Amino acid sequence: MKKGLLISGLLGLLLGCTTTPPTIGDPAPQLSDRRAEQAYQELFLQYSDRAEIYDGFDTRVFAGATFQTLAFREARVQRLAQFQYLPKPRVEELLAKERAEEAEFHEFWLGVHVNDYRFEDFGRKNTIWRMVLLTPSVEVEPASIERLGRSNLSMRSFYPYMGVFWIAYRIRFPKVLTDGTPVIPPTASHVHLRLASTLGHAELRVHAR
């Protein structure tokens, strides 16, 4: 009898634990062209990953990250062009800007949902978090971390893991080391973005190119 009560109690705890933040608000916008929408989502999944940091059965942090490869940047611009009916010259202007930025940095879009706002300090000087890009040959710390603010429908149209109360960051890493060696070697198939603190750690794995 006691064993049955114990099992029931454990099942109750497991069913009660949170594995995703509450879904609130409108769903992320999608293109009316189903094929274009599916193509974007498939590419998005190649360069995106999600992870959680737990304290027992409670989730401390939800995170999603997307590697801003050239292929993804171009797809994101084309998606924006479809949403906003942008003229071709404007699209070319945006593509040129994205290509220039991609040539300078390895960049990640990071979205986070932290249950305690005190731990949402990724961009601060004395943050509790250490963030690194892990490749097959090296571990590199960010060149810059920029807080972009709370999620909105525009952000969610490109990064659907972003919930209403998530916060967005732009994380940039150098493309080469001081000796000129590429941070991501040509043979790399995947890279990892690691978030680590006294709360725990998470690694988000994405395609390298």
Side-chain angles (χ1 to χ4, degrees), residues 99-170:
R99 289 163 184 155
E101 290 183 355
E102 194 279 334
E104 191 172 358
F105 298 102
H106 289 308
E107 183 177 306
F108 282 81
W109 174 283
L110 174 68
V112 292
H113 178 282
V114 181
N115 288 342
D116 188 329
Y117 73 92
R118 294 175 301 170
F119 305 137
E120 192 273 297
D121 67 347
F122 295 87
R124 294 179 184 171
K125 183 177 180 180
N126 297 318
T127 176
I128 66 170
W129 297 96
R130 181 171 183 260
M131 207 174 317
V132 295
L133 172 62
L134 299 170
T135 78
S137 59
V138 73
E139 173 182 300
V140 181
E141 294 189 354
S144 65
I145 303 174
E146 180 183 359
R147 190 180 191 273
L148 301 176
R150 178 162 289 183
S151 172
N152 54 42
L153 276 179
S154 180
M155 291 181 186
R156 294 170 65 199
S157 68
F158 300 106
Y159 309 98
Y161 49 67
M162 298 285 294
V164 172
F165 298 111
W166 286 48
I167 304 296
Y169 287 86
R170 178 184 289 119

Side-chain angles (χ1 to χ4, degrees), residues 1-18:
M1 182 69 177
K2 290 182 178 179
K3 184 177 180 181
L5 288 173
L6 177 61
I7 292 173
S8 296
L10 288 172
L11 285 173
L13 286 171
L14 289 170
L15 292 173
C17 72
T18 303

Side-chain angles (χ1 to χ4, degrees), residues 67-70 73 97-108 133 141-145 170-176 183-184:
F67 189 21
Q68 305 291 301
T69 64
L70 183 57
R73 287 173 181 269
K97 180 176 181 292
E98 294 289 344
R99 289 163 184 155
E101 290 183 355
E102 194 279 334
E104 191 172 358
F105 298 102
H106 289 308
E107 183 177 306
F108 282 81
L133 172 62
E141 294 189 354
S144 65
I145 303 174
R170 178 184 289 119
I171 319 297
R172 285 178 166 173
F173 296 91
K175 298 208 78 168
V176 296
V183 168
I184 301 179

